[in-house]
Amino acid sequence: MPEPTVPRTRALELTANCADCFGLCCVALPFTRSADFARDKAAGTPCGNLGADFGCVIHEGLRENGWSGCTVFECHGAGQHVSQGTFAGVDWRTRPGTSAAMFRSFGVMRQLHEILRYVTEALERAETAPVHAELAEIRAHVAELSEGTAAQLTALDVPALRAAANGPLTRAAALVRAAARPGRAPDHRGADLMGSTRLRGADLRGANLRGAYLIAADLRGADLRGAELLGADLRDADLRGADLRGALYLTQAQVNAARGDGTTRVAAEFTRPGRWGGQGG
């Protein structure tokens, strides 16, 4: 079956818009029964909570029903890109023969959009001006690749693209961290800080927390302004009273995964989880 012609005029969206997606994360991805998912689900099999309109029928009660893993997932806009762009608005139910290619494309697009999301954020920071040219070149290249056909997408060498982006993203982060805290800042890159209590009230301005394991860590009252959080695991991290304004590479999924309250401060671009309560500044 021929692939749909890909529109070349789509505006690049880096935030999920589930209304324009065919429920791809609810079908393409596997789930394993755990504290995050109420039951097992094989890749390519629709979740039992997926509605006829591709929406989640228990969306408002996911955590209460054992599906907290869904609340911290973020495709960075890859779902609607594949649904409305790569496959031109024709869903996998209407054209079942495209489902396998659509799901494979979604897996690749998620990674492309993740790269684009981080590069775009780095470009928006004034501190990163010395690497703007490199970042802009990567963004243009990856954005162009994201407009390929399903076959072109699945043929991409994504690890090579990630590697090419890593250098400029790392240099951008160093510039942001140095501006936030001149001198030597804490370096916890990749550190195992699960359940740690020693970070409560800590001055983590400009800290390197890339890839750190902060699951259930006590970060109450910590100052995380200008800290790098790319890939940091914040599941159940206690961020009550913490200040994350200006933190670099922080995502909505990380915010959703953490515990906070009305005194937790995040940038205005983030949606505060309802369970946090209040309107932290």
Side-chain angles (χ1 to χ4, degrees):
M1 180 177 295
E3 295 176 357
T5 300
V6 180
R8 298 287 172 173
T9 57
R10 285 179 48 81
L12 188 61
E13 299 175 323
L14 299 177
T15 302
N17 179 0
C18 298
D20 283 341
C21 178
F22 299 143
L24 298 185
C25 64
C26 306
V27 187
L29 305 179
F31 304 152
T32 299
R33 186 173 181 176
S34 63
D36 294 322
F37 298 103
R39 55 180 175 270
D40 295 336
K41 186 192 81 66
T45 301
C47 174
N49 299 317
L50 185 66
D53 62 352
F54 299 110
C56 176
V57 298
I58 61 166
H59 184 266
E60 299 304 319
L62 283 166
R63 283 185 174 272
E64 296 76 5
N65 286 280
W67 295 91
S68 61
C70 298
T71 69
V72 300
F73 177 80
E74 174 60 63
C75 74
H76 302 296
Q80 68 259 27
H81 192 156
V82 170
S83 298
Q84 305 301 329
T86 314
F87 286 85
V90 181
D91 66 79
W92 49 270
R93 284 174 175 157
T94 301
R95 191 177 293 173
T98 65
S99 62
M102 188 178 295
F103 302 155
R104 287 194 299 269
S105 297
F106 176 61
V108 174
M109 193 70 77
R110 280 180 62 206
Q111 297 181 75
L112 298 184
H113 272 238
E114 184 179 42
I115 295 170
L116 289 167
R117 188 256 186 235
Y118 291 133
V119 169
T120 298
E121 180 184 356
L123 274 167
E124 292 172 349
R125 302 291 290 252
E127 308 98 303
T128 65
V131 291
H132 276 186
E134 290 180 83
L135 292 166
E137 183 177 353
I138 290 169
R139 187 180 191 278
H141 179 55
V142 176
E144 181 180 7
L145 293 175
S146 76
E147 294 298 340
T149 64
Q152 290 169 334
L153 286 170
T154 53
L156 291 175
D157 185 347
V158 177
L161 293 171
R162 284 187 173 279
N166 184 63
L169 288 174
T170 299
R171 289 190 285 278
L175 291 165
V176 171
R177 290 189 283 105
R181 185 171 180 168
R184 188 171 182 178
D187 187 353
H188 298 301
R189 178 171 181 169
D192 183 351
L193 296 166
M194 291 190 289
S196 174
T197 59
R198 64 187 176 89
L199 298 177
R200 181 174 180 177
D203 183 357
L204 294 171
R205 287 173 299 150
N208 186 348
L209 290 162
R210 179 185 285 212
Y213 296 95
L214 293 162
I215 301 168
D218 187 349
L219 288 158
R220 283 177 288 175
D223 190 344
L224 290 148
R225 288 175 293 171
E228 180 187 357
L229 291 167
L230 193 153
D233 194 334
L234 291 171
R235 284 178 293 169
D236 291 322
D238 193 341
L239 295 176
R240 287 176 291 173
D243 192 345
L244 291 94
R245 293 173 298 176
L248 187 68
Y249 305 141
L250 178 67
T251 68
Q252 185 66 52
Q254 289 170 307
V255 170
N256 292 348
R259 290 182 288 150
D261 64 6
T263 65
T264 304
R265 285 166 285 185
V266 293
E269 68 195 74
F270 294 103
T271 300
R272 298 175 66 82
R275 70 185 188 284
W276 283 17
Q279 297 292 325

